Amino acid sequence: MKTYTELNSLLVDDYLDLLNIAKHLGDDEWKDAILKALKEEVDANHHMDSTEVRQDLWNQFEDINEQMHELLLQLKQVDEPEEKEQIIEMIWGLKIDRHAITRKLETMSRASAGTHNC
């Protein structure tokens, strides 16, 4: 089971990029919002086992793949350019979501590998 500290470290990568941008832009309000969101996320995951987190991420990944598959089937049947464009935009949104999940899973794997090497 992952400790509180280990689970917290899994989320840091996702927020550090945004935090660096906010600092670079000098946007203290955004920086504070990012720090607050990070704390809330960490607190929410505090009592979750890493296996549960990983399984939840995989379930989300599979759901997104199913949604993308359905949209691709719809795309093949649609003739109107506007409808095609809407479907393509939805697919891109799902791809972005899937990429975020992949990053979280990769972060978990790196963290897990790091704990086994010690």
Side-chain angles (χ1 to χ4, degrees), residues 4 8 11 15 32-47:
Y4 177 71
N8 284 341
L11 301 168
Y15 286 95
D32 292 342
I34 293 167
L35 290 171
K36 180 182 176 191
L38 175 60
K39 181 180 178 348
E40 289 172 0
E41 187 72 27
V42 168
D43 290 345
N45 287 325
H46 172 65
H47 42 282

Side-chain angles (χ1 to χ4, degrees), residues 1-94:
M1 182 188 317
K2 294 281 184 204
T3 66
Y4 177 71
T5 303
E6 290 168 330
L7 283 174
N8 284 341
S9 70
L10 299 176
L11 301 168
V12 171
D13 283 349
D14 292 335
Y15 286 95
L16 284 179
D17 291 338
L18 292 174
L19 189 58
N20 285 333
I21 293 169
K23 285 182 179 181
H24 178 73
L25 294 174
D27 191 333
D28 290 332
E29 186 176 330
W30 188 27
K31 182 185 80 169
D32 292 342
I34 293 167
L35 290 171
K36 180 182 176 191
L38 175 60
K39 181 180 178 348
E40 289 172 0
E41 187 72 27
V42 168
D43 290 345
N45 287 325
H46 172 65
H47 42 282
M48 289 184 74
D49 178 276
S50 67
T51 305
E52 293 173 13
V53 172
R54 190 182 309 263
Q55 185 59 49
D56 183 55
L57 290 170
W58 277 114
N59 288 341
Q60 290 176 40
F61 188 89
E62 290 172 4
D63 289 344
I64 288 172
N65 280 342
E66 289 176 19
Q67 291 175 42
M68 288 176 71
H69 177 74
E70 290 296 321
L71 287 171
L72 287 170
L73 292 175
Q74 287 179 22
L75 187 61
K76 290 180 181 180
Q77 297 175 353
V78 172
D79 293 327
E80 296 295 320
E82 290 137 10
E83 285 182 67
K84 283 186 177 196
E85 186 175 328
Q86 287 176 345
I87 292 172
I88 290 169
E89 286 178 18
M90 288 188 283
I91 290 170
W92 273 107
L94 289 170

Side-chain angles (χ1 to χ4, degrees), residues 99 109 115:
H99 179 70
S109 293
T115 58

